[in-house]
Amino acid sequence: MPGFYLPSEDEFDPSTDDFVLPAISKERKYKHFDLPLVDRELAFDFSREDEPHRFLPLLGFTDVARRYVRKASGDREVKVKERPIRFAGHEDAAYLQAYAGHLNGFYERALAQDGTSGSVLAYRRGGGTNIHHAKALFDEIRTRGDCTVFAMDISGFFDCLDHLLLRDEVAGLLGVTRLDGHHATVWKNVTRYSWVETADLDKLLGRKRNGHGRVCSPADFSDHVRGRKDGLIRTHDQTFGIPQGTPVSGLYANIYLRTFDREMIAWCARLGGSYRRYSDDIAVILPLGAKVRHVVAVVEKMLADFGLAMSVDKTDTANFKCGLLVSATPIQYLGFTFDGVKTLIRPSSLDAYRGKMRRGIHAKMVAAKAKNIPSPEVFKRESLARYTHLGKRRNFLRYAYKASEIMGCPEIRQQVSHHVTWFNRAWEREAVRVFGGLATSP
């Protein structure tokens, strides 16, 4: 999920990597209604607001993610999940990033004061990756020995945040009764935002339009995007939901659940357990024998108080005795499984990696054929860099190697030891599928 914290180039999380799209990358070289901020920094003074910042519409598109689920029979089921992505223009993103840094100071001080810093894991600088947080949970299981572990998921997290509750949580964090100045400006524009679908732009102006560094020219923006008759701007007029993709979204989500986090920490402590939350992923460790239905019901009730619901079908539980699994299946958390002995990347993540590799190779073959490039002349180098250990930038393989190192688990490296074979098989299969023959190239 995007937010105040963005992963560095050598970090990779298969649960969020598809979300870190070029449109919201740290470099911000994407096309929008305004030009990129090349070689210039914008300074913002949040101690006063002479004139409210004026926002351009967000750009929007639907990201289609395929989730692989293993059935009890061992068969694989593919579930398609559509995520609406909305991202800000360059100056707006710089403003929101700077504001998030300003507001984050209040949030971090509050966490330090009430002792909840160790339980809120996502969208925070210096907090480590999902690998570190999964390892911390598994280490606690080993230390406790006898315990029952719950891994739960909040359903439709960003889409369900109540605007008034968010406003009140931000105001409470700031120690004020109402939001004004920059705080009010950001809250109003993130809750009642406007956006333009890129598909609408493509349909009206064509996909090969020349915006001179923008997604469309200033004239087209004036005449068509903001046009009175056929304007493309849409407005979010619901009383809940904030866009996924702005620099302040993750921090807002954390602030929204500040009271919930405190309540969960206190409740777990009374039972002799612990609580942690990574965005919409909740993990609870309680003494062995905790009633599953009761715990799930309590968490559901607490979430309901904040207008949120739990994805019951994603709830995972496991019992451990002397640090070893005594249930039928291991616990799953942040992309890993743990049984007290082995830590592994979950099978669905490996399936997703192989599926993404296959689709990427297929797209490359199709593009080559469209340019009349013979199959033997389709080069592998770019695909090898993207999907194998030969890649210098972050990819799934480097992520797996890093997880193996951090967790001290050679079994993770063993899981992906055949990745080159997987790649070559996918390459040959897609060559036959697209060209009707093999594409062998350097």
Side-chain angles (χ1 to χ4, degrees):
M1 296 288 176
F4 181 61
Y5 170 77
L6 287 175
S8 64
E9 283 302 315
D10 62 347
E11 293 177 20
F12 182 95
D13 178 353
S15 66
T16 62
D17 178 64
D18 287 335
F19 199 83
V20 184
L21 300 159
I24 54 173
S25 67
K26 196 163 53 174
E27 292 81 5
R28 298 205 181 105
K29 296 177 181 178
Y30 55 87
K31 287 187 177 182
H32 212 284
F33 295 120
D34 61 346
L35 293 172
L37 304 176
V38 180
D39 298 327
R40 64 189 177 104
E41 294 285 337
L42 298 181
F44 302 98
D45 181 5
F46 294 104
S47 64
R48 62 179 186 176
E49 186 180 50
D50 297 327
E51 282 191 26
H53 180 85
R54 296 188 64 182
F55 287 80
L56 287 169
L58 304 173
L59 268 179
F61 62 94
T62 300
D63 178 44
V64 180
R66 291 172 175 82
R67 181 169 170 260
Y68 293 81
V69 180
R70 290 277 183 177
K71 296 181 179 179
S73 62
D75 295 334
R76 202 176 58 169
E77 180 183 3
V78 181
K79 293 186 177 180
V80 177
K81 180 179 180 181
E82 295 186 347
R83 296 179 293 181
I85 308 298
R86 315 275 185 257
F87 59 100
H90 298 286
E91 289 200 10
D92 294 343
Y95 171 77
L96 290 173
Q97 186 75 40
Y99 172 76
H102 173 69
L103 184 61
N104 188 66
F106 292 90
Y107 181 64
E108 289 294 334
R109 284 191 290 273
L111 293 184
Q113 289 171 3
D114 55 30
T116 59
S117 182
S119 296
V120 183
L121 310 177
Y123 313 127
R124 297 177 60 200
R125 288 192 183 279
T129 68
N130 69 304
I131 300 171
H132 297 92
H133 298 312
K135 182 179 185 300
L137 179 79
F138 303 154
D139 286 347
E140 183 178 342
I141 294 172
R142 291 189 182 97
T143 301
R144 283 179 175 267
D146 298 351
C147 58
T148 299
V149 187
F150 300 79
M152 296 166 272
D153 183 85
I154 302 174
S155 176
F157 189 24
F158 286 82
D159 297 333
C160 298
L161 302 187
D162 182 274
H163 295 166
L164 295 184
L165 282 177
L166 174 62
R167 179 200 63 188
D168 293 344
E169 286 289 349
V170 174
L173 179 69
L174 298 170
V176 298
T177 56
R178 61 186 296 272
L179 298 182
D180 57 16
H182 294 277
H183 300 295
T185 296
V186 173
W187 175 78
K188 289 176 183 176
N189 282 277
V190 172
T191 55
R192 192 173 176 81
Y193 59 91
S194 62
W195 84 97
V196 175
E197 288 288 334
T198 54
D200 291 345
L201 281 172
D202 293 343
K203 184 177 181 180
L204 182 65
L205 303 176
R207 299 191 68 177
K208 295 183 178 180
R209 55 189 179 274
N210 186 3
H212 301 287
R214 298 176 173 88
V215 73
C216 69
S217 68
D220 282 337
F221 180 80
S222 177
D223 294 341
H224 299 292
V225 177
R226 286 201 185 279
R228 293 183 179 181
K229 293 184 179 180
D230 58 351
L232 301 180
I233 297 178
R234 308 185 189 191
T235 301
H236 180 75
D237 56 6
Q238 303 292 322
T239 60
F240 53 86
I242 65 174
Q244 299 185 45
T246 79
V248 77
S249 297
L251 178 59
Y252 260 5
N254 273 347
I255 293 172
Y256 184 88
L257 286 182
R258 184 167 168 249
T259 300
F260 170 82
D261 289 333
R262 293 201 303 267
E263 291 177 353
M264 281 295 300
I265 291 169
W267 179 71
C268 290
R270 287 197 297 271
L271 298 177
S274 68
Y275 160 85
R276 46 175 57 79
R277 179 178 61 80
Y278 186 93
S279 188
D280 56 357
D281 288 306
I282 294 171
V284 170
I285 301 181
L286 295 175
L288 184 63
K291 303 291 185 181
V292 173
R293 289 186 179 179
H294 173 70
V295 172
V296 171
V298 169
V299 178
E300 281 186 314
K301 170 61 173 64
M302 288 187 177
L303 284 172
D305 291 341
F306 294 86
L308 299 173
M310 185 191 301
S311 297
V312 180
D313 59 328
K314 293 183 182 180
T315 298
D316 238 12
T317 63
N319 293 321
F320 291 83
K321 197 162 188 178
C322 298
L324 299 177
L325 180 73
V326 292
S327 299
T329 57
I331 193 68
Q332 294 193 48
Y333 183 61
L334 299 184
F336 296 92
T337 65
F338 178 70
D339 64 3
V341 178
K342 288 185 177 181
T343 300
L344 298 170
I345 294 174
R346 65 183 182 184
S348 60
S349 294
L350 292 173
D351 290 338
Y353 156 66
R354 287 189 289 258
K356 190 174 181 180
M357 177 171 62
R358 190 167 54 250
R359 292 191 300 274
I361 292 173
H362 178 79
K364 186 177 183 67
M365 296 285 185
V366 170
K369 186 176 182 179
K371 295 178 181 179
N372 295 318
I373 298 175
S375 60
E377 296 180 17
V378 181
F379 286 90
K380 288 184 178 180
R381 292 193 191 104
E382 182 182 352
S383 297
L384 283 168
R386 181 172 295 179
Y387 302 115
T388 75
H389 65 288
L390 299 175
K392 294 182 180 180
R393 301 182 68 182
R394 62 178 185 156
N395 64 18
F396 185 85
L397 262 298
R398 294 178 73 85
Y399 165 80
Y401 292 162
K402 184 176 181 179
S404 178
E405 180 183 353
I406 291 174
M407 292 187 166
C409 299
E411 58 267 24
I412 293 177
R413 202 176 182 99
Q414 184 63 31
Q415 281 184 286
V416 295
S417 61
H418 300 296
H419 71 276
V420 175
T421 300
W422 300 339
F423 177 89
N424 288 331
R425 286 176 180 171
W427 187 271
E428 293 172 4
R429 188 163 44 243
E430 295 307 322
V432 172
R433 183 179 175 188
V434 175
F435 289 97
L438 296 185
T440 57
S441 65

